[in-house]
């Protein structure tokens, strides 16, 4: 009895250790077998905002008979984690909401140089307010004044007499960086009393329920519970983003370390294929990269 | 933190009944083997060699397990400490600025890393949570052991222990959907803040404090209560004058364990506290805790940057505080034994 238990426990322990070991081996190594059919595994990690998209496309990819022997694993963790993991070779693809150069700064700038950027979609963000606020347009200056604390009551921005409650993102968030860069044009301080949430669902809930709240959400999250407002008279719609008249948008990046190997390239090409761009990407509220009439580089310069 | 969480339902008492039959079985099996032939009921007739072999096996197995545990604990402490201290040694952030600064803007120009708002936020929420939960738990424990032991043991204790099994994201979501709108409608402000965090946490730590209080109450020598009744004391006088003072140290142990658990809770608090990196002016204004800022920013920062290392420093503060709480519990236990 005692012996059986002992043997059993030892086996469990050994199995656990073995499981740990084999998992470590799987990560990162891709046996890109030669020949006509590709096989191997891909690990894509990073941005939680991109996770649903990459997951959905990866399922479709694996179901495709051409790629049936490739497995794609998608993990969240945040843009920073994704970039770290791809740069260290733990993941094959690093999903990120922002350019790698904005995360790897100063001493780490060389790390960003090694990474190859694949822009797979565009995400646009709209400013949203609580429905009771009573405004439908803000100028850029008003937006800056609100987020820097110069205006603290909606009556100074043309609304009703109600205190402004800012629902922001944490200062490390890629969504916040995009909003600050392209909507405000300036970094904003964390004001006392403002709210910070990382998840878009929570931001929407809070803006919808809190009187006088203002926040920003990706277009895919917009619905009737919040009021979407125009920026300088321009509606936050996919068409305005494509034509370049609405400025608050960012690329969704998939970074690889150096040029991607065969199977990773197959997956990224699949992501960029017309089929995926026209269905999955648009369905999930992103904007197809092929339909953009403007291009933007890391410094924010826009070219037609 | 996990180690701390474990003892809450049932506590260390659970281990004993489980271990007892396991020890008993080999003995009885051995007695059967040796029994009939020798007719000697005392010790089984096993060769000395096999006995020492099995002794050795058991010892080796235990040693391996303990070694794994110790290595895990030490490597975790080392990992957190090496990353957390890198902020001060590699990135040159001053320790006093970190511990007493009130401005937190790691991405600012120039960046500043004042962690005091988080430290005060953590202490305020967890201590306030304990203030709410402790009286409730004490009364629940007294009710379950002294007033209605049958109903308490059969119905209330499982219900309270059930609270420990609810995932923290559920607490957070309930807090966000019920507690926050409720506070918003009564008090000025947006409802998010230390008060909301403390209310959610107080429910989460209720099982920890209650089960420790119940254990200590039911472990009291019966003579104490009977002596008090014999002196003509009423039931309430017995409870308040002789029972409660006797179990106070072990109840305080429960409270400190509850505070430690509240201190380390991340997700539920993060959802209801608002996460503004400032010391709030009221209980109903957005604030932050150590855990909430770590969970919010860890995924967004890149390894080995100062923004990432400083989060590990916050984790180190959490770890050190947990050690302090464990130390307090040890002290209280020593006092309770005296």
């Amino acid at each position: 009895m005692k012996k059986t238990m002992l043997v059993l426990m030892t086996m469990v322990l050994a199995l656990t250790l073995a499981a740990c070991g084999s998992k470590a081996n799987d990560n990162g190594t891709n046996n890109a077998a030669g020949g006509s059919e590709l096989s191997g595994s891909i690990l894509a990690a990073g941005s939680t905002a991109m996770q649903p998209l990459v997951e959905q496309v990866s399922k479709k990819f694996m179901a495709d008979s051409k790629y049936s022997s490739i497995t794609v694993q998608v993990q969240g963790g945040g843009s920073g984690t994704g970039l770290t993991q791809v740069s260290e070779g733990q993941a094959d693809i690093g999903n990120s909401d922002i350019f790698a150069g904005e995360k790897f700064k100063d001493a780490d700038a060389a790390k960003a140089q090694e990474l190859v950027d694949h822009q797979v979609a565009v995400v646009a963000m709209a400013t949203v307010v609580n429905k009771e606020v009573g405004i439908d347009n803000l100028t850029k200056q008003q937006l800056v004044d609100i987020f820097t604390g110069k205006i603290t009551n909606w009556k100074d921005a043309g609304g009703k007499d109600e205190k402004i409650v800012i629902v922001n993102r944490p200062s490390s968030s890629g969504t916040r960086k995009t909003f600050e860069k392209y909507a405000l044009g300036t970094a904003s301080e964390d004001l006392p009393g403002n709210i910070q949430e990382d998840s878009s669902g929570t931001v929407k809930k809070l803006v919808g329920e809190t009187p006088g709240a203002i926040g920003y959400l990706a277009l895919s999250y917009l619905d009737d519970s919040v009021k979407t407002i125009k920026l300088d008279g321009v509606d936050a719609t996919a068409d305005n983003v494509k034509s370049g008249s609405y400025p608050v948008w960012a690329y969704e990046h998939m970074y690889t370390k150096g040029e991607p190997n065969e199977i990773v390239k197959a997956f990224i090409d699949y992501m960029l294929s017309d089929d995926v761009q026209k269905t999955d990407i648009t369905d999930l509220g992103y904007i197809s990269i092929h339909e953009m009439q403007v291009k933007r580089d890391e410094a924010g310069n826009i070219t037609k | 933190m996990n180690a701390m969480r474990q003892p809450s339902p049932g506590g260390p008492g659970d281990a004993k009944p489980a271990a007892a039959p396991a020890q008993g079985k080999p003995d009885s099996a051995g007695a059967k083997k040796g029994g009939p032939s020798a007719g000697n009921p005392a010790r089984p007739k096993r060769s000395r060699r096999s006995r020492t072999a099995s002794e050795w096996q058991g010892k080796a197995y235990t040693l391996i397990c303990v070694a794994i545990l110790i290595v895990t604990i030490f490597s975790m402490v080392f990992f957190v400490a090496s990353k957390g201290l890198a902020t001060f040694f590699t990135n040159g952030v001053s320790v006093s600025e970190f511990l007493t600064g009130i401005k937190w803007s790691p991405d600012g120009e120039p960046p500043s890393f004042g962690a005091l708002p988080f430290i005060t936020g953590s202490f305020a929420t967890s201590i306030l949570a304990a203030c709410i939960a402790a009286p409730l738990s004490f009364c629940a424990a007294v009710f379950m052991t002294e007033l209605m032991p049958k109903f308490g043991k059969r119905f209330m204790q499982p219900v309270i222990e059930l609270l420990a099994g609810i995932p923290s994201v559920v607490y957070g979501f309930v807090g966000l959907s019920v507690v926050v709108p409720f506070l918003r409608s009564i008090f000025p402000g947006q409802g998010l803040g230390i008060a909301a965090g403390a209310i959610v946490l107080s429910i989460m730590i209720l099982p920890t404090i209650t089960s420790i209080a119940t254990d200590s109450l039911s472990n009291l020598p019966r003579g104490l209560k009977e002596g008090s009744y014999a002196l003509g004391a009423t039931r309430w006088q017995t409870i308040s004058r002789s029972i409660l003072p006797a179990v106070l140290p072990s109840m305080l142990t429960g409270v400190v364990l509850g505070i430690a658990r509240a201190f380390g809770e991340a997700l539920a608090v993060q959802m209801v506290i608002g996460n503004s990196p400032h010391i709030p002016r009221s209980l109903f204004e957005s604030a932050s805790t150590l855990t909430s800022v770590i969970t919010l920013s860890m995924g967004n920062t890149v390894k080995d940057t100062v923004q990432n290392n400083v989060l590990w420093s916050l984790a180190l503060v959490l770890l050190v505080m947990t050690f302090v709480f464990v130390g307090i519990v040890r002290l209280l236990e020593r006092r309770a034994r005296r």
Side-chain angles (χ1 to χ4, degrees):
Chain A
M1 195 67 186
K2 194 172 165 191
K3 235 173 209 167
T4 346
M5 274 294 280
L6 200 73
V7 170
L8 207 75
M9 283 166 84
T10 319
M11 271 170 68
V12 169
L13 194 74
L15 266 175
T16 325
L17 289 176
C20 291
S22 68
K23 199 176 165 198
N25 284 340
D26 274 353
N27 287 351
T29 53
N30 290 309
N31 29 335
S36 56
E37 197 175 314
L38 298 167
S39 70
S41 67
I42 303 173
L43 177 66
S47 163
T48 40
M50 273 175 82
Q51 202 178 353
L53 170 68
V54 183
E55 250 164 23
Q56 184 172 326
V57 176
S58 73
K59 274 188 197 127
K60 216 171 146 185
F61 178 77
M62 286 187 281
D64 195 317
S65 58
K66 261 191 293 180
Y67 309 111
S68 53
S69 39
I70 301 179
T71 47
V72 184
Q73 243 190 68
V74 185
Q75 286 176 3
S79 301
T81 309
L83 289 170
T84 310
Q85 291 200 346
V86 73
S87 154
E88 289 179 345
Q90 292 164 12
D92 305 297
I93 298 174
N95 301 328
S96 173
D97 301 327
I98 65 171
F99 281 98
E102 293 176 73
K103 283 282 180 198
F104 292 112
K105 279 185 209 152
D106 311 326
D108 293 326
K111 284 185 190 163
Q113 295 296 316
E114 293 174 352
L115 299 177
V116 179
D117 187 6
H118 307 270
Q119 295 162 354
V120 294
V122 165
V123 61
M125 277 150 224
T127 314
V128 293
V129 294
N130 185 271
K131 276 176 154 176
E132 309 296 315
V133 164
I135 55 157
D136 63 352
N137 182 44
L138 281 175
T139 64
K140 186 172 181 174
Q141 191 53 47
Q142 282 173 327
L143 207 57
V144 172
D145 288 347
I146 289 171
F147 276 87
T148 51
K150 280 196 198 109
I151 298 181
T152 55
N153 195 306
W154 282 114
K155 67 174 186 236
D156 299 325
K160 65 177 197 180
D161 185 10
E162 177 86 63
K163 201 172 164 271
I164 296 177
V165 177
I166 301 170
V167 184
N168 218 331
R169 309 285 178 128
S171 58
S172 54
S173 148
T175 311
R176 172 156 167 184
K177 291 237 166 71
T178 305
F179 185 78
E180 285 180 345
K181 204 164 171 184
Y182 302 115
L184 304 180
T186 166
S188 60
E189 293 266 305
D190 292 320
L191 303 166
N194 79 4
I195 297 165
Q196 291 187 9
E197 294 295 341
D198 202 20
S199 108
S200 300
T202 314
V203 170
K204 187 167 91 178
K205 194 172 158 65
L206 284 173
V207 172
E209 289 174 358
T210 314
I214 181 171
Y216 41 93
L217 286 169
L219 291 192
S220 52
Y221 281 94
L222 300 179
D223 63 17
D224 288 344
S225 64
V226 291
K227 169 112 181 103
T228 311
I229 55 172
K230 295 178 197 160
L231 178 61
D232 281 330
V234 183
D235 269 315
T237 60
D239 288 332
N240 285 339
V241 174
K242 287 174 198 164
S243 68
S245 49
Y246 184 78
V248 194
W249 54 272
Y251 290 112
E252 296 287 35
H253 309 264
M254 288 174 102
Y255 278 99
T256 54
K257 192 176 188 180
E259 284 304 322
N261 64 28
E262 257 181 322
I263 56 167
V264 175
K265 190 169 183 317
F267 181 59
I268 293 174
D269 286 346
Y270 186 79
M271 196 92 184
L272 289 169
S273 69
D274 271 345
D275 181 32
V276 169
Q277 293 275 332
K278 286 218 174 85
T279 57
D280 302 76
I281 289 197
T282 330
D283 290 350
L284 287 170
Y286 296 92
I287 297 164
S288 163
I289 194 89
H290 301 318
E291 287 173 22
M292 291 298 291
Q293 290 150 27
V294 288
K295 271 199 164 121
R296 190 153 66 190
D297 65 7
E298 197 175 323
N301 303 315
I302 289 181
T303 46
K304 282 262 172 187
Chain B
M1 215 61 247
N2 266 331
M4 197 117 286
R5 225 173 261 178
Q6 236 48 57
S8 50
D14 264 4
K16 270 176 205 161
Q23 274 168 0
K25 261 179 197 163
D27 262 6
S28 60
K32 260 182 213 158
K33 262 185 220 161
S37 60
N40 182 3
R43 279 279 107 185
K45 243 181 147 188
R46 259 181 164 179
S47 75
R48 204 173 183 177
R49 220 193 191 162
S50 80
R51 218 157 97 201
T52 47
S54 81
E55 278 297 301
W56 190 85
Q57 266 179 352
K59 203 173 176 184
Y61 188 76
T62 323
L63 276 179
I64 290 170
C65 290
V66 169
I68 290 175
L69 270 179
I70 291 177
V71 167
T72 316
I73 292 168
F74 273 90
S75 46
M76 264 180 71
V77 173
F78 174 76
F79 185 65
V80 174
S82 67
K83 288 212 141 204
L85 292 175
T87 316
F88 309 116
F89 294 120
T90 318
N91 305 110
V93 176
S94 93
V95 182
S96 61
E97 187 208 312
F98 177 75
L99 289 176
T100 59
I102 55 165
K103 188 164 186 266
W104 175 263
S105 94
D107 294 279
E109 298 283 341
S112 45
F113 304 99
L116 195 63
F118 310 129
I119 298 171
T120 47
S122 274
F123 273 105
T125 30
S126 38
I127 289 172
L128 197 62
C131 290
I132 300 171
L136 289 175
S137 314
F138 289 173
C139 293
V142 167
F143 180 82
M144 286 193 294
T145 49
E146 305 298 326
L147 300 184
M148 291 186 77
K150 240 185 195 158
F151 172 79
K153 276 262 148 37
R154 200 177 295 163
F155 183 72
M156 261 190 82
Q157 198 160 13
V159 167
I160 288 179
E161 277 165 10
L162 204 68
L163 288 176
I166 298 176
S168 58
V169 64
V170 174
Y171 279 108
F173 201 71
V174 170
L176 197 60
S177 312
V178 180
V179 178
V180 169
F182 175 72
L183 290 176
R184 191 194 295 137
S185 64
I186 295 184
F187 299 101
Q190 300 104 48
L192 296 145
I194 287 179
I199 290 173
V200 170
L201 278 178
S202 68
I203 302 167
M204 296 182 76
I205 63 177
L206 212 59
T208 312
I209 307 183
T210 311
S211 54
I212 289 175
T214 316
D215 280 354
S216 59
L217 277 174
S218 42
N219 286 342
L220 271 186
R222 282 187 63 185
L224 194 75
K225 210 161 83 185
E226 276 159 12
S228 169
Y229 284 141
L231 288 173
T234 62
R235 201 183 217 184
W236 180 244
Q237 281 171 333
T238 309
I239 292 172
S240 62
R241 305 271 169 81
S242 61
I243 293 182
L244 282 184
V247 295
L248 200 64
S250 36
M251 281 191 165
L252 283 180
T253 309
V255 172
V256 176
L257 278 177
I259 293 179
R261 164 129 165 63
F263 210 77
E265 174 51 45
L267 194 60
V269 182
Q270 188 223 301
M271 287 171 82
V272 298
I273 200 164
N275 305 309
S276 161
H278 296 277
I279 299 178
R281 284 161 298 186
S282 85
L283 291 179
F284 310 101
E285 192 180 285
S286 173
S288 281
T289 65
L290 289 163
T291 47
S292 77
V293 68
I294 294 174
T295 46
L296 267 188
S297 304
M298 194 55 106
N300 291 325
T301 53
V302 173
K303 208 176 130 189
D304 293 333
T305 56
V306 62
Q307 286 87 355
N308 188 265
N309 284 342
V310 79
L311 295 177
W312 287 101
S313 309
L314 294 176
L316 185 64
V317 173
L318 263 176
L319 199 67
V320 170
M321 283 318 302
T322 313
F323 288 153
V324 170
F325 285 131
V326 172
I328 296 175
V329 168
R330 282 287 162 93
L331 267 176
L332 283 170
E333 274 174 351
R334 208 177 297 161
R335 251 188 66 193
R337 235 176 275 141
R338 229 185 269 159

